[in-house]
Amino acid sequence: MNHDFSALKSACETCTGCPLHETRNHVVFGVGNPDAELLFIGEAPGENEDLQGEPFVGRAGQLLDLYLNGIGLDRKENIYIANILKCRPPKNRDPKPEETKACLPWLRELVKIMRPKIIVCVGRISAQVIISPEFRVTKEHGVFFERNGTLLMGTFHPAALLRDPRRKGDAFEDFLKLQDKIKELGIRI
Ligand code: URA
């Protein structure tokens, strides 16, 4: 495994950069293949993620895996999955701006090391941090935006899909668009 990646992950695991470190059980740095060309970014760990130290392990994570597997991707093999925040916000509230600010340098360094070809923002909050504060998931899901040679795309959060299953078809179409883009660009999976 890439030395820079391991060093970054180890440093992150002792982070005390914001008050969320006081209530966490685990830092949730990410899961997957750090050599992948695809990076998925969610919002923040929930209860199960905080307990297990891995992103998207609850019901929302199972749905995410279903979509990934549906286009031939596996969370451990061909992608890397991280979150905007590495520590769980109490009661799963939205990240505070100061928490996002404190935590983003970890993600920036990860992107520098991985140099992903495509970043998929899982949910509105991630897309508003990564793509644009004005991002509207209902209008702009599945659209690819180019930034400095990387394609950015936002899609529905699987937890939102569990609350409103009517969007599940739209969400899977985003994954099919991703699959087309992977083929078009010859992305290594
Ligand atoms: N929701 C997220 O955005 N990330 C997780 O890791 C789990 C649930």
Side-chain angles (χ1 to χ4, degrees):
M1 195 178 287
N2 184 309
H3 167 73
D4 293 342
F5 172 83
S6 310
L8 183 71
K9 187 165 185 273
S10 305
C12 184
E13 277 160 1
T14 57
C15 181
T16 55
C18 86
L20 294 182
H21 79 272
E22 292 165 12
T23 47
R24 75 180 174 222
N25 286 298
H26 285 99
V27 169
V28 181
F29 186 74
V31 69
N33 178 354
D35 294 321
E37 296 186 331
L38 296 168
L39 174 61
F40 283 69
I41 303 177
E43 180 181 324
E47 185 180 16
N48 295 306
E49 291 76 19
D50 173 60
L51 290 173
Q52 295 181 41
E54 181 173 326
F56 287 104
V57 289
R59 277 182 72 221
Q62 287 170 14
L63 186 56
L64 179 63
D65 279 335
L66 204 63
Y67 288 133
L68 290 170
N69 299 344
I71 61 162
L73 299 176
D74 177 282
R75 66 158 65 203
K76 296 241 157 88
E77 304 228 331
N78 9 53
I79 65 171
Y80 197 79
I81 309 179
N83 282 309
I84 299 285
L85 295 191
K86 310 299 181 231
C87 298
R88 181 189 182 204
K91 299 187 184 148
N92 301 349
R93 61 156 169 75
D94 287 356
K96 291 183 181 172
E98 59 271 26
E99 292 159 356
T100 300
K101 189 163 176 252
C103 212
L104 264 184
W106 296 115
L107 206 50
R108 287 207 188 92
E109 281 307 307
L110 178 69
V111 169
K112 265 196 216 162
I113 292 167
M114 281 185 63
R115 295 194 290 124
K117 300 245 167 76
I118 300 181
I119 296 178
V120 178
C121 299
V122 183
R124 171 183 64 87
I125 292 198
S126 166
Q128 288 183 342
V129 171
I130 306 291
I131 301 175
S132 153
E134 272 81 53
F135 187 90
R136 297 277 308 273
V137 76
T138 47
K139 291 204 171 123
E140 293 168 296
H141 68 93
V143 178
F144 288 89
F145 301 88
E146 198 267 347
R147 189 183 298 152
N148 305 324
T150 302
L151 290 179
L152 313 176
M153 186 263 266
T155 188
F156 299 91
H157 196 289
L161 297 173
L162 292 172
R163 287 192 298 270
D164 181 4
R166 289 170 301 179
R167 290 290 186 177
K168 281 184 174 177
D170 289 341
F172 192 58
E173 273 178 31
D174 295 345
F175 280 76
L176 293 174
K177 285 183 190 158
L178 174 64
Q179 187 178 37
D180 287 345
K181 199 54 94 177
I182 289 169
K183 284 189 189 141
E184 180 190 324
L185 301 182
I187 286 176
R188 175 168 43 77
I189 59 167

